[in-house]
Amino acid sequence: MTTPTTPPSPPASSPPASSPPRGRRRAPSRIGRAAGRAAALQRPRVLLALLLLLALTCVMLLDGYLRAEVGGDERVRTGASASDVPEDVLDGGPILTFPGGQATTVSVPDKTIVLTFDDGPDPTWTPQVLDILEEYDVPGTFFLVGSMVSRHPGIVRDLVEQGNEVGVHTFTHVDLSYQSEARVEREIEQTQLALAGAAGITTTLFRAPYSSETNAIDNYSWPVYENLGEDGYTSVFIDTDSDDWKRPGVSKIVDWATPEDGEGASVLFHDAGGERSQTIAALPKYIEKMQAKGYTFTTVSGAMADQQPQQQSQQPGGDRKSQQPGGDGLQAAHHKATGATLYEGKALVAAVAVAEWTVPALSAGLVVVGVAVMGRFAMMLVLARRHHRQRNRRRFSWGPPVTGPVSVIVPAYNEKECIEATLRSLARSTHPVEIIVVDDGSTDGTAEIAESLGLPGVRVVRQANAGKSAALNNGVRQARYDIVVMMDGDTVFEPDTVRHLVQPFADPAVGAVAGNAKVGNRRTLIGAWQHIEYVMGFNLDRRMYDLLRCMPTIPGAIGAFRREAVLQAGGMSDDTLAEDTDITIALHRAGWRVVYEEHARAWTEAPGSLGQLWSQRYRWSYGTMQALWKHRRSLTDKGPSGRFGRVGMPLVVLFQVVTPVFAPLIDVFTLYSMVFVDFRAALLVWLAVLGVQLVCAAYAFRLDREKYRYLLMMPLQQLAYRQMMYLVLIHSCVTALTGGRLRWQKLKRTGEVGTPAGNG
C-alpha cells in the first residue's frame, strides 16, 4: 500500500497577489470583461482536470469492487428455520428448477458424477484443472465469480471452448440471503455481462455462495431461489463435498468426494479462492477412481437431460462438446450473447483490463513518489538544521557589515488599502533607504496617497500601465544605489528587515537575497493554513536550497538584488507570470550566487477566500512552469552557471510539479486501501506520515520562533487545504499541456496587515 504524501511545497514562485498583469492593463470595465473571457476559457480546462482525476478514481473504485470477494466457502449458516421451504425440495435432488412456476428438483442419475468447481476462474489453478479435464476427456461445470471472470476473460473463453459448462456464482461472492432484491439482481446481471464480454455467452445456471445441499435451504435464502427460478434460472446444489478448501490431504479429498453405493452425485471442488495444490493433486486420482467404479462424468445440463430424455436435442456420439445439448456447440445452459448485453459485457471487460493495468502501475509509481517524498522530508530536516547551525555560529560572517544606503522599489497598482502601511514600515527602517514607489497607472489614488504622507526619502514615479515587470525595471533605472530591494505594495517590513536583508552582499559573489515572507492575516482558518505552509517553506525548503546553492525563487514580497546583476540578466522579464522565479534562475545562469536570509522578515496579506487563493496559486504554479520551461537549457549549462540546472531544476520539477500532481492519487489510493484492502493498516500509515509532517512543521516553527498552536490545524489542512493546492497544480498542468495562456488577475485586498503582527 502506498502512503499519503506531504502538503504541497510552499510556492516556488511567489509573485504577490497585488502584482500587475503581464502586458498593459486596460480600463477597469474592460479588465472585467477580459477576466470574464479568461475565466470562460479556463472552465473547460478545470473540467478536464477534474474529469481526469474522476476517471482515475473510478478506475480504482472498479478495481477495488472487483477484488471485494467476501470470505470463503467455510461460512455455513445453521439453526435458521426452513418452514417456508417445500419438503420435496429439502429432501430432493441437487438441481432445482421451476417449470411452470412449480419448484422441482432433479437428481443426478446413478453411476454419474457432475463435477462442479466454485469461485473461479483463477489464473493459477483453473488452467491446471482444465488440463486435467481435457486429459481425461471429462467435462466440468464451473460456477464463476463475475469479478474474476472480468479480470481473467481468456481463461473463461478457453473453459467454454473446451466444452465445459458455466454458471453464475454472483459477482462479488456475497451471501445473497441477506441482500435486497436489487442487490441480488445486480450481482446476477453483472456476472452475466462479464460472461458475455469474456466468452460471448450467458447462462441459466446459478449457485449461491455458501450454499451446500438442498436441505440447508432456509427461510432467508428460499426467496432468492424462488425469484431466480421465476426468471428461468436453474439453481445447483451438491450431494457430496470434497471439502478441499480445508486442505485435509489428497486422500481425504478423494474419499470425501466419493458418493456411496453407486449413487449419482453433484460433487463440489474449488478451482480458486485459496491455495488449491491439493485439489490439483487429488482431481486425477478421483477421476481414475470413479471411472474404475464404472462412473461417467457429465455436466448439469447433461444430468438433467439424462433424467428427461425427451428434452435432449442432440444424438449420442461424437466428441465431448457435440454430446452436450444445445446448438452451435453450446451447452444447453448457455445462450449466445447478443445486442446490448454483448457490447456492455465487452465494455465491462475492457474497463476491467484498464483497471488491471492502471492500478498496479499506479501503485508502483506512488510507492516511488512516497519514498521520494519521505526522502525529501529527511533531507530538508538534515539540511535545515545544518543551515541553522552554520548561520548562527559566532564566527559566521558574510564579510564587513553593509551599511551603505539601498534603494527600495515598491511597484504599486491600485494599492490604496495597503500603500500607507507599506511606506510607513519602510520609513521606520534602521538601515538608510531611498523609497521608490512606481505607480503603474493606478486608478484609485495610490500615487496621491503615497505623496500625501510626506515621508522622508519617498519618491513617487508614475508610468502608464505596463505591468509589474515594467514597473520594477523602471524602479531599477531610477535607483541611485547599487543594491535594490524589491517588495510588494501590500507588504510591510520590520524595522531591521532591510539591514538583515542586505548583509549577504558583503560577499561579492552574492547577486540576490531572498527574505522570509510571513502571513500577516493568520487569524482566519485559510490564513492559518497558509501560515503553516509559509513557515515550512521558508524554514525548510529555502534553507535546503540555500545550502545546495540552487535557490529557485526570490519571493516578490521581499528580495534584494545587486543592480548590476539585474541589468546583466536583462532585467525583470514579462515572459512568464512568475517574474521572480524567472529572474532568480537567470541570475543563477549568469553565475551569481542566490542566498536566503531568514532574519529579514516581511509581513504580507494572504488571500482571504478560497476563490482568491485558487486564483493566486493557479497563477503561481503556472508561472513556475513557464519559468522552468523558459530556462530548460540550464540543464546543459556548464560550470557554476549550470548548478541550478543540475540540482535545482530536477528538485523543483520533482517536488513542486511531479509529486504534487500525483499526490491526490495517493490520497485516493489511501481511501481505496482503507475500503478494499486493510482499513487499520492504511489509517496507521496515513497517521504515521502525518506524524512525520508534524515533526517537520514543528521544527520549522521552532527555527522561526513561531507559536506551535497553529499546528493543531495541520490535520485539517491535510484533509482540505492540501487537496485544493493539488487540484490547482493539476489545473495548471492541464492548461500548460493544452496550450492555454493565463492572464494575471489582481486579488482584492483589505489592508489589515498594517504593522508587523509578531509571532502570535
Side-chain angles (χ1 to χ4, degrees):
M1 192 194 81
T2 53
T3 63
T5 187
T6 67
S9 299
S13 64
S14 51
S18 59
S19 56
R22 292 179 297 152
R24 298 184 61 85
R25 291 193 189 87
R26 303 180 179 182
S29 60
R30 299 178 67 186
I31 292 175
R33 291 195 296 271
R37 287 194 297 271
L41 290 172
Q42 293 304 319
R43 288 190 196 105
R45 296 188 176 97
V46 175
L47 182 61
L48 179 58
L50 293 175
L51 286 176
L52 288 173
L53 185 59
L54 177 62
L56 283 169
T57 302
C58 290
V59 166
M60 295 180 72
L61 289 175
L62 174 60
D63 186 78
Y65 180 54
L66 294 174
R67 299 176 188 276
E69 293 94 356
V70 182
D73 282 280
E74 63 271 19
R75 176 180 174 185
V76 178
R77 287 187 313 275
T78 59
S81 173
S83 58
D84 296 339
V85 186
E87 287 294 332
D88 55 350
V89 171
L90 294 173
D91 298 331
I95 303 172
L96 174 62
T97 62
F98 287 79
Q102 182 67 36
T104 303
T105 62
V106 177
S107 297
V108 178
D110 291 343
K111 291 287 186 177
T112 303
I113 296 293
V114 174
L115 206 53
T116 69
F117 300 87
D118 280 8
D119 298 349
D122 181 276
T124 300
W125 310 114
T126 305
Q128 296 183 60
V129 170
L130 292 179
D131 289 343
I132 294 169
L133 297 183
E134 186 171 34
E135 178 183 352
Y136 287 93
D137 195 26
V138 169
T141 302
F142 291 77
F143 291 93
L144 305 177
V145 176
S147 60
M148 301 291 286
V149 172
S150 60
R151 289 165 58 190
H152 308 294
I155 298 176
V156 179
R157 283 193 295 272
D158 293 343
L159 189 154
V160 173
E161 289 174 0
Q162 189 174 306
N164 299 289
E165 197 163 47
V166 300
V168 171
H169 200 45
T170 73
F171 196 82
T172 61
H173 203 274
V174 66
D175 189 340
L176 298 181
S177 302
Y178 303 101
Q179 308 301 323
S180 65
E181 289 187 17
R183 173 67 185 274
V184 173
E185 182 178 352
R186 186 166 68 250
E187 290 281 334
I188 303 301
E189 288 182 352
Q190 288 173 344
T191 306
Q192 294 284 27
L193 286 178
L195 289 171
I201 64 165
T202 59
T203 181
T204 59
L205 299 183
F206 168 77
R207 174 176 283 167
Y210 313 111
S211 65
S212 56
E213 301 175 6
T214 53
N215 60 18
I217 301 174
D218 57 31
N219 292 344
Y220 291 103
S221 57
W222 178 242
V224 174
Y225 299 117
E226 280 190 305
N227 292 335
L228 289 174
E230 292 174 1
D231 292 336
Y233 282 93
T234 297
S235 295
V236 182
F237 297 84
I238 63 172
D239 294 299
T240 304
D241 191 347
S242 69
D243 279 337
D244 57 344
W245 59 269
K246 296 178 180 178
R247 305 190 74 244
V250 172
S251 60
K252 287 187 177 181
I253 291 175
V254 173
D255 289 343
W256 292 348
T258 302
E260 297 178 355
D261 303 326
E263 295 177 349
S266 168
V267 182
L268 174 61
F269 287 87
H270 294 84
D271 64 321
E275 207 279 341
R276 302 302 181 211
S277 59
Q278 290 188 5
T279 302
I280 300 302
L283 190 56
K285 297 181 182 298
Y286 177 73
I287 293 174
E288 291 172 0
K289 176 181 178 180
M290 301 315 294
Q291 287 177 336
K293 287 177 172 287
Y295 276 80
T296 59
F297 292 84
T298 187
T299 60
V300 171
S301 296
M304 295 174 67
D306 287 343
Q307 294 291 64
Q308 301 170 2
Q310 69 276 12
Q311 295 181 10
Q312 246 180 292
S313 58
Q314 297 289 331
Q315 297 297 322
D319 61 20
R320 186 157 50 88
K321 183 181 293 186
S322 64
Q323 290 175 8
Q324 309 305 324
D328 299 323
L330 296 177
Q331 296 284 352
H334 296 174
H335 300 281
K336 198 173 250 186
T338 58
T341 300
L342 178 63
Y343 292 109
E344 289 176 14
K346 289 183 178 296
L348 172 62
V349 171
V352 171
V354 171
E356 286 285 287
W357 176 87
T358 301
V359 173
L362 184 63
S363 300
L366 295 186
V367 167
V368 173
V369 171
V371 170
V373 168
M374 298 305 291
R376 177 174 179 252
F377 274 141
M379 183 169 64
M380 284 194 305
L381 286 174
V382 171
L383 295 183
R385 176 173 173 78
R386 182 180 299 176
H387 183 278
H388 173 70
R389 297 179 66 180
Q390 181 186 93
R391 294 295 170 83
N392 286 275
R393 290 173 184 164
R394 290 184 179 180
R395 64 178 181 273
F396 174 80
S397 173
W398 291 104
V402 177
T403 58
V406 301
S407 301
V408 180
I409 303 171
V410 185
Y413 173 72
N414 289 347
E415 298 286 358
K416 68 177 183 179
E417 295 87 359
C418 308
I419 194 66
E420 180 177 353
T422 298
L423 297 180
R424 289 193 183 280
S425 73
L426 291 173
R428 291 191 293 269
S429 176
T430 59
H431 193 93
V433 297
E434 72 157 344
I435 305 167
I436 304 171
V437 179
V438 183
D439 183 75
D440 189 35
S442 296
T443 59
D444 66 346
T446 297
E448 289 75 13
I449 294 173
E451 290 175 330
S452 69
L453 296 175
L455 297 173
V458 175
R459 193 156 39 108
V460 177
V461 177
R462 288 178 170 84
Q463 69 175 38
N465 177 251
K468 183 180 181 181
S469 297
L472 290 171
N473 287 331
N474 194 0
V476 171
R477 288 192 297 270
Q478 298 286 338
R480 297 191 179 104
Y481 303 111
D482 294 334
I483 296 175
V484 294
V485 174
M486 299 181 185
M487 65 182 299
D488 294 328
D490 62 349
T491 301
V492 297
F493 280 6
E494 296 178 358
D496 289 337
T497 295
V498 175
R499 180 174 62 83
H500 287 303
L501 190 62
V502 300
Q503 294 311 306
F505 289 109
D507 182 347
V510 172
V513 181
N516 185 357
K518 304 184 72 62
V519 174
N521 54 329
R522 60 179 68 173
R523 291 181 177 86
T524 65
L525 182 62
I526 296 176
W529 285 341
Q530 293 175 83
H531 170 52
I532 295 172
E533 183 185 37
Y534 271 60
V535 172
M536 290 186 69
F538 281 96
N539 289 281
L540 296 181
D541 272 313
R542 275 179 170 75
R543 290 178 188 270
M544 175 184 71
Y545 285 126
D546 191 356
L547 276 187
L548 296 176
R549 297 199 174 190
C550 57
M551 184 76 63
T553 301
I554 302 295
I558 175 171
F561 301 82
R562 289 190 190 275
R563 188 169 181 269
E564 170 194 359
V566 174
L567 296 176
Q568 181 182 342
M572 308 298 287
S573 172
D574 64 356
D575 291 341
T576 75
L577 292 176
E579 73 287 329
D580 46 8
T581 300
D582 192 349
I583 187 65
T584 305
I585 300 176
L587 292 177
H588 281 295
R589 300 186 70 188
W592 292 96
R593 185 179 173 191
V594 180
V595 301
Y596 171 58
E597 175 49 63
E598 66 269 23
H599 300 297
R601 303 197 298 184
W603 298 81
T604 188
E605 182 178 339
S609 70
L610 291 177
Q612 291 182 349
L613 181 62
W614 181 287
S615 179
Q616 182 198 65
R617 297 310 174 85
Y618 181 38
R619 177 169 55 87
W620 284 5
S621 58
Y622 187 69
T624 298
M625 292 178 194
Q626 289 178 311
L628 294 174
W629 180 252
K630 176 181 177 180
H631 293 283
R632 62 192 180 277
R633 296 188 184 279
S634 65
L635 291 168
T636 58
D637 286 348
K638 305 297 183 182
S641 63
R643 184 172 182 82
F644 180 82
R646 295 191 300 271
V647 181
M649 179 79 78
L651 285 176
V652 173
V653 170
L654 177 61
F655 293 116
Q656 293 178 215
V657 178
V658 176
T659 300
V661 163
F662 282 95
L665 303 181
I666 294 180
D667 293 327
V668 171
F669 199 84
T670 301
L671 292 175
Y672 164 90
S673 300
M674 287 181 175
V675 175
F676 298 112
V677 183
D678 188 327
F679 175 85
R680 182 178 179 183
L683 179 61
L684 288 175
V685 169
W686 188 86
L687 290 174
V689 175
L690 176 61
V692 172
Q693 293 172 344
L694 281 170
V695 169
C696 292
Y699 186 64
F701 270 58
R702 178 187 173 192
L703 292 177
D704 216 22
R705 298 181 180 178
E706 286 285 354
K707 301 292 185 181
Y708 292 116
R709 65 172 180 263
Y710 290 99
L711 297 181
L712 295 175
M713 301 181 186
M714 195 166 182
L716 185 59
Q717 184 201 45
Q718 299 300 292
L719 294 173
Y721 176 81
R722 184 178 61 140
Q723 316 309 319
M724 178 180 175
M725 295 301 99
Y726 292 155
L727 292 176
V728 167
L729 184 60
I730 293 174
H731 184 191
S732 301
C733 290
V734 172
T735 301
L737 292 173
T738 56
R741 187 169 177 82
L742 181 65
R743 296 179 60 87
W744 186 93
Q745 297 180 34
K746 176 178 170 59
L747 301 183
K748 182 179 179 180
R749 294 300 183 185
T750 65
E752 64 180 286
V753 184
T755 58
N759 290 358

